[in-house]
């Protein structure tokens, strides 16, 4: 990789090269760390990205004439990615790296080669693809976690602010908050239990029964009737006929039918995909409770009146901003905008119940 023909480099050029060098080195370390936590194809892809960053690093080293005596520090984003890569799941790091790769400094850099500019664009697509894989793996569980915690935050904040605005004593507000926490968490857990249990029962009712195939050796007619079983399960006529023919032949020859195994149109164990009803119920209970406890904390620690309300708003505000920012990072959107949207929705709901509490106030107790 050689630098394009250009004028004699200036001191500013050399400082910029040094900055590119440390950034490429930092990005390579990020991909190395992520690769150490993955296996198979994803590990190979990440190691290839690290190798590409080393090629870019070598380009700037060649221009600088070797390792400089002093190098600038890597940027805040690169240092943060490096720290996160060794401690958190790769999906968060890849989502941030995707944003970083989208802003290549080499498009306007005359000392970068065309190959480097092309590499950066390819890196963005590769990282975006890896991040998309992680999002697909995480989407269901993460959505449930955010929904459960956010529901607890918003609903219990609205409850305690509405009750507090009526002018009742702090003990009553605390009781209302704890009752709201338990009621909501139990409702979420029970609903999730019924939902998952119903899905599992539905799957059990629609599972394939292999009794017909097990009796294939006793058939005194052609295999066409057995083929109807497989056609009813979704196979086309030719495939169903071929499978029925193999089963009948094997059964008559005394061969174990395990050569074919049961038919699963969707593939995999559907019960495992749906998950455990008790696990889903307990998870929903804990997720809701983890959010719902936050608005109640000021009253638990003895605060009351406007002080408790302000502290509750601050605590819930931080939590809403955090969950909103995480959703933004994982979805590839702007974290700040998602965080503010989450905050606005939560505080908007709380404001409505607070106003209602003021309207229907019962006076101080």
């Amino acid at each position: 990789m050689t630098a394009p023909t250009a004028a004699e480099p200036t001191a500013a050029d050399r400082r910029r090269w040094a900055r590119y060098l440390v950034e490429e080195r930092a990005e390579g370390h990020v991909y190395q760390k992520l690769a150490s936590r993955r296996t198979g194809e994803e590990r190979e892809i990440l190691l290839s990205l690290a190798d590409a960053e080393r090629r870019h690093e070598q380009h700037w080293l060649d221009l600088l004439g070797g390792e400089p005596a002093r190098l600038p520090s890597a940027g805040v984003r690169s240092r943060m990615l490096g720290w996160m890569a060794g401690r958190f799941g790769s999906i968060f790091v890849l989502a941030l790296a995707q944003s970083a790769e989208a802003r290549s400094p080499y498009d306007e850099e005359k000392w970068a080669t065309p190959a480097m500019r092309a590499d950066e664009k390819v890196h963005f697509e590769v990282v975006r693809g890896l991040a998309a894989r992680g999002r697909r793996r995480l989407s269901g569980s993460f959505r449930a976690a955010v929904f459960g915690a956010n529901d607890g935050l918003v609903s219990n904040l609205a409850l305690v602010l509405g009750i507090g605005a009526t002018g009742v004593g702090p003990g009553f507000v605390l009781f209302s908050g704890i009752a709201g926490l338990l009621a909501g968490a139990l409702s979420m857990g029970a609903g999730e239990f019924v939902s998952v249990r119903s899905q599992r029962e539905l799957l059990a009712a629609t599972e394939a029964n292999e009794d017909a195939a097990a009796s294939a050796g006793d058939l005194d007619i052609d295999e066409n009737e057995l083929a109807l079983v497989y056609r009813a399960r979704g196979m086309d006529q030719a495939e169903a006929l071929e499978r029925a023919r193999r089963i009948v032949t094997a059964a008559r020859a005394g061969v174990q039918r395990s050569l074919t195994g049961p038919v699963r149109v969707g593939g995999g164990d559907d019960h495992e995909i749906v998950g455990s009803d008790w696990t889903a119920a307990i998870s929903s209970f804990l997720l809701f409770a983890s959010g719902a406890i936050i608005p109640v904390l000021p009253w638990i620690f003895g605060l009351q009146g406007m002080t408790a309300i302000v502290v509750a708003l601050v605590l819930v505000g931080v939590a809403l901003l955090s969950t909103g920012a995480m959703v933004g990072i994982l979805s590839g959107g702007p974290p700040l905008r998602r965080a503010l949207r989450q905050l606005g929705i939560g505080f908007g709901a709380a404001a409505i119940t607070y106003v209602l509490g003021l309207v229907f106030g019962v006076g101080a107790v």
Side-chain angles (χ1 to χ4, degrees), residues 158-336:
L159 175 64
V160 296
L161 290 195
I163 295 294
T166 63
V168 298
F172 191 82
V173 178
L174 176 60
F175 170 79
S176 300
I178 297 298
L181 182 156
L182 288 174
L186 289 169
S187 175
M188 289 281 289
E192 198 68 19
F193 178 88
V194 171
S195 174
V196 175
R197 174 61 66 87
S198 298
Q199 290 182 63
R200 293 177 68 86
E201 290 173 347
L202 179 62
L203 285 172
T206 57
E207 278 182 346
N209 187 308
E210 299 300 320
D211 290 344
S215 304
D218 299 325
L219 290 175
D220 56 3
I221 57 174
D222 192 60
E223 59 269 19
N224 291 307
E225 288 190 14
L226 184 58
L228 295 178
V229 174
Y230 297 108
R231 290 179 65 184
R233 295 179 189 172
M235 289 186 179
D236 60 40
Q237 183 175 0
E239 184 181 6
L241 198 60
E242 176 60 28
R243 177 173 284 260
R245 184 175 291 113
R246 290 202 311 269
I247 289 176
V248 170
T249 301
R252 286 176 176 170
V255 177
Q256 289 290 334
R257 188 176 47 84
S258 59
L259 292 174
T260 57
V263 179
R264 291 189 182 276
V265 176
D269 189 337
D270 290 335
H271 285 272
E272 290 182 5
I273 295 173
V274 172
S276 164
D277 41 23
W278 280 108
T279 300
I282 293 171
S283 298
S284 294
F285 179 94
L286 293 177
L287 287 169
F288 184 95
S290 67
I293 192 64
I294 293 177
V296 190
L297 289 176
W299 285 272
I300 290 177
F301 287 99
L303 299 180
Q304 53 186 293
M306 188 55 64
T307 302
I309 290 175
V310 170
V311 172
L313 287 171
V314 170
L315 293 175
V316 173
V318 171
L320 289 172
L321 289 171
S322 299
T323 56
M326 281 194 292
V327 170
I329 290 172
L330 290 176
S331 64
L336 180 59

Side-chain angles (χ1 to χ4, degrees), residues 31 49 97-103 118-130:
Y31 294 133
L49 288 175
Q98 176 184 333
S99 300
E101 293 285 2
R103 297 186 296 274
D119 280 348
E120 291 298 313
K121 290 179 172 57
V122 171
H123 289 181
F124 170 69
E125 292 301 327
V126 173
V127 172
R128 182 167 67 174
L130 291 175

Side-chain angles (χ1 to χ4, degrees), residues 92 95 135 142-143 145-147 150 320-339 341-342:
F92 290 97
R135 289 185 185 108
F142 182 73
R143 177 186 174 277
V146 170
F147 173 76
N150 191 71
L320 289 172
L321 289 171
S322 299
T323 56
M326 281 194 292
V327 170
I329 290 172
L330 290 176
S331 64
L336 180 59
R337 185 183 304 170
R338 301 294 173 85
R341 182 182 67 183
Q342 201 96 327

Side-chain angles (χ1 to χ4, degrees), residues 18-80:
R19 190 166 63 252
Y20 291 149
L21 171 62
V22 297
E23 290 296 332
E24 294 287 5
R25 188 169 288 170
E27 289 178 12
H29 287 325
V30 169
Y31 294 133
Q32 282 284 155
K33 287 183 179 179
L34 291 177
S36 68
R37 300 166 64 93
R38 310 300 299 171
T39 58
E41 184 184 39
E42 288 191 19
R43 175 183 170 83
E44 294 176 9
I45 293 172
L46 289 165
L47 288 175
S48 296
L49 288 175
D51 288 340
E53 300 297 353
R54 278 193 289 270
R55 292 197 302 271
H56 296 180
E57 176 188 342
Q58 189 60 49
H59 171 78
W60 302 117
L61 277 172
D62 292 342
L63 286 177
L64 289 165
E67 185 79 17
R70 295 184 62 184
L71 285 172
S73 298
V76 174
R77 179 185 289 269
S78 296
R79 294 201 301 273
M80 180 178 67

Side-chain angles (χ1 to χ4, degrees), residues 7-18:
E8 190 69 19
T10 64
D13 288 331
R14 296 183 66 82
R15 287 194 298 270
R16 196 167 61 254
W17 298 346

